[in-house]
Amino acid sequence: MRAIHDPHGALAGGLAAIRAQYQIPAGFPPEVLAAAEAAAQKAPAGHADRTEIPFVTLDPASSTDLDQAFWIEPSGSDLVLRYAIADVAWFVSDGDAVDAEAWTRGETIYLPEGKAGLYPPILSERAASLLPDGPRPAVVFTVRLGSDGECRLEGAERAIVRSRAKLAYDNVRDEDMPAGFAEFAARVNAAEAARGAARVDPPEQEVEPLGDGRYALRLRPLLLSERRNAALSLATNLAVADALQTAGTGLFRVMAGPSAKAMARLRSTAAGLGLDWPADIDLKALERTLDQKNPHHAAFMLAVRRAGNGAGYAPWIPGVTPWHEAVAATYAHATAPLRRLADRYVIRAALAVMAGRPVPAEVEDAFRRLPAVMAKAEATSGQIERAVIDLAEAVMLQGREGERFAACVTDIDGDSARIHLADLPVVGRTRIPGATPGQRVDLRLDGVDLSTRRLTFSAAD
């Protein structure tokens, strides 16, 4: 982690400029807040009582919009996951003011100094959030996981649940978790490897608030607790996707693999970074050997992510098997309805399918409209995230013009090289004719423009 020296408040001013540039809403219109206030008072009806299940949540310590709570118990050689998901659809009705606003947003946007939520805080951080301060309405998925890691959706019901503890990634202990937590994740991971999946989880560039208006920029590998927790969502999303596909309905997360040209470039990148990639080993097998904490491996993981065609959403189409290449399976998003609009409708479809009822017409209609809405929201969120990182990098390096920095070329596009500074969590581009992936270079910082969030480098030699 590198603290950002910002005596003149350039970072805070830059974040405000990003909010203005991308028109990130500071709050919600009065009519939306009023509708959310009324919705938060809605008493559950027809929900089963599942408060005897000792659910817990696991999230970043500062999170208050808690989508998931879980419990795991053995059943013979199987493990059974009870996965409680915030019942957003109980509070939000089709066409009401809160729903209409959510369709304009698509997803929650996170920034270092706060977020622009998909739903008003009275819902996303109170009434619908699975906080451990009282019973909450939820949709409980029951997922059975076999010893071979195959998962099956056994049930979906609306229920009242009570979380016993709000656990945090950075300090959770094994004894705080359900006994089968680690084993569940191990089975899911083994099943991924068996079907040839390879989810790329490179270290993330993050701008982290330190308090008192101070921030830090860092490359942060996922913690073991995060990776294990992600396995619960993965298993549930796979099970829900399979149930919906079988029923002939749904909205799926889809992604194609890298093109032949991108694969050839990745081969060059791997060679330049010193990775041993035998010709008879495919990319997914190589990815499973990579270590986030190894700088060369991390650089290659970032290159793999950029080489992909990007994920999107697609509705069910007769005769078509929706496919997510990184997961190597049919996959859906159903576990984060407080943060993603699409999940609310996938959950409603799963409830109908598991109850043997027709999927509501308004949900089927939403499946046709959501891919464009979610693509726009994800593109905007990605641009904002990149702008925040660019700003933090510029603030970190202001005043250091003329200095030399060791760097590694991670990939190239003609004479344009993507570079990663050796001693700082900074990724950028510069013109280096004839550069090759993995090449070590010395760069001179020629310019820092805070208004455009742009760093200018040139080859020092």
Side-chain angles (χ1 to χ4, degrees):
M1 182 189 302
R2 293 294 181 121
I4 299 174
H5 182 60
D6 185 23
H8 304 296
L11 187 57
L15 290 172
I18 289 171
R19 283 184 174 271
Q21 177 183 346
Y22 290 97
Q23 299 180 323
I24 302 172
F28 289 85
E31 65 274 15
V32 175
L33 292 174
E37 289 274 359
Q41 306 307 314
K42 186 178 178 182
H47 288 66
D49 185 349
R50 298 290 180 253
T51 54
E52 80 283 359
I53 300 175
F55 287 107
V56 296
T57 63
L58 181 59
D59 297 273
S62 60
S63 293
T64 52
D65 50 346
L66 308 186
D67 284 292
Q68 311 115 8
F70 60 91
W71 187 249
I72 301 169
E73 53 198 23
S75 177
S77 61
D78 296 342
L79 292 173
V80 175
L81 168 67
R82 310 286 185 185
Y83 211 34
I85 308 298
D87 192 1
V88 179
W90 178 252
F91 297 100
V92 181
S93 300
D94 294 312
D96 69 15
V98 178
D99 178 56
E101 181 69 16
W103 274 84
T104 69
R105 299 185 180 216
E107 65 177 43
T108 294
I109 294 174
Y110 292 92
L111 295 112
E113 85 287 21
K115 59 179 177 282
L118 179 60
Y119 300 104
I122 193 171
L123 295 178
S124 63
E125 300 179 49
R126 290 174 58 188
S129 179
L130 301 182
L131 293 161
D133 59 357
R136 293 288 196 280
V139 172
V140 177
F141 290 122
T142 300
V143 179
R144 180 173 291 272
L145 186 74
S147 57
D148 58 358
E150 292 299 310
C151 51
R152 182 176 76 255
L153 186 63
E154 286 198 333
E157 63 174 356
R158 280 193 150 125
I160 301 300
V161 304
R162 183 190 293 273
S163 172
R164 299 301 197 270
K166 180 179 182 292
L167 306 176
Y169 289 134
D170 58 358
N171 60 17
V172 67
R173 304 169 301 172
D174 287 345
E175 55 265 35
D176 298 327
M177 307 303 296
F181 181 63
E183 174 62 18
F184 193 101
R187 291 185 184 187
V188 171
N189 293 338
E192 277 197 286
R195 65 175 183 268
R199 288 178 295 129
V200 180
D201 293 318
E204 298 284 352
Q205 271 182 297
E206 288 188 350
V207 179
E208 178 185 5
L210 301 176
D212 300 323
R214 297 178 299 114
Y215 298 89
L217 179 64
R218 64 174 178 170
L219 281 171
R220 188 183 70 83
L222 292 181
L223 298 171
L224 176 60
S225 58
E226 291 179 272
R227 297 198 300 271
R228 287 175 172 173
N229 197 42
L232 308 187
S233 287
L234 175 63
T236 303
N237 286 329
L238 289 171
V240 168
D242 182 65
L244 295 183
Q245 173 73 357
T246 300
T249 187
L251 182 73
F252 302 92
R253 191 70 167 158
V254 295
M255 187 180 80
S259 65
K261 181 179 179 180
M263 286 296 296
R265 189 162 59 241
L266 285 173
R267 285 275 180 185
S268 297
T269 300
L273 291 170
L275 274 65
D276 181 20
W277 187 0
D280 60 341
I281 299 297
D282 65 18
L283 175 61
K284 291 178 181 178
L286 175 66
E287 289 178 77
R288 289 193 290 273
T289 69
L290 301 179
D291 180 359
Q292 289 182 327
K293 297 178 182 178
N294 182 310
H296 289 193
H297 291 193
F300 184 73
M301 294 167 81
L302 288 168
V304 171
R305 173 176 285 184
R306 289 190 293 270
N309 291 313
Y313 290 89
W316 180 81
I317 300 173
V320 176
T321 299
W323 195 253
H324 194 294
E325 181 65 19
V327 179
T330 297
Y331 182 64
H333 273 165
T335 57
L338 290 174
R339 297 183 286 115
R340 292 187 300 247
L341 174 65
D343 295 44
R344 171 156 54 102
Y345 294 91
V346 174
I347 291 169
R348 291 174 64 184
L351 282 169
V353 165
M354 297 308 291
R357 301 190 306 266
V359 174
E362 55 269 25
V363 173
E364 294 285 11
D365 177 64
F367 288 159
R368 290 186 287 271
R369 295 186 290 129
L370 277 164
V373 172
M374 297 305 296
K376 180 181 178 181
E378 288 185 331
T380 300
S381 180
Q383 291 166 3
I384 292 168
E385 180 180 348
R386 186 64 249 172
V388 170
I389 297 297
D390 288 345
L391 171 66
E393 291 175 343
V395 172
M396 175 179 285
L397 292 178
Q398 66 177 329
R400 300 184 66 175
E401 294 86 344
E403 288 189 29
R404 294 167 65 119
F405 296 87
C408 176
V409 175
T410 57
D411 59 71
I412 57 172
D413 184 6
D415 285 348
S416 176
R418 189 183 299 272
I419 54 91
H420 188 158
L421 299 192
D423 299 317
L424 291 172
V426 173
V427 177
R429 275 198 173 276
T430 188
R431 185 175 180 275
I432 308 178
T436 57
Q439 179 180 342
R440 300 292 179 168
V441 294
D442 282 331
L443 301 177
R444 181 176 57 248
L445 178 62
D446 295 325
V448 176
D449 189 332
L450 294 178
S451 64
T452 62
R453 305 181 287 273
R454 182 180 176 85
L455 300 173
T456 305
F457 291 97
S458 63
D461 297 329

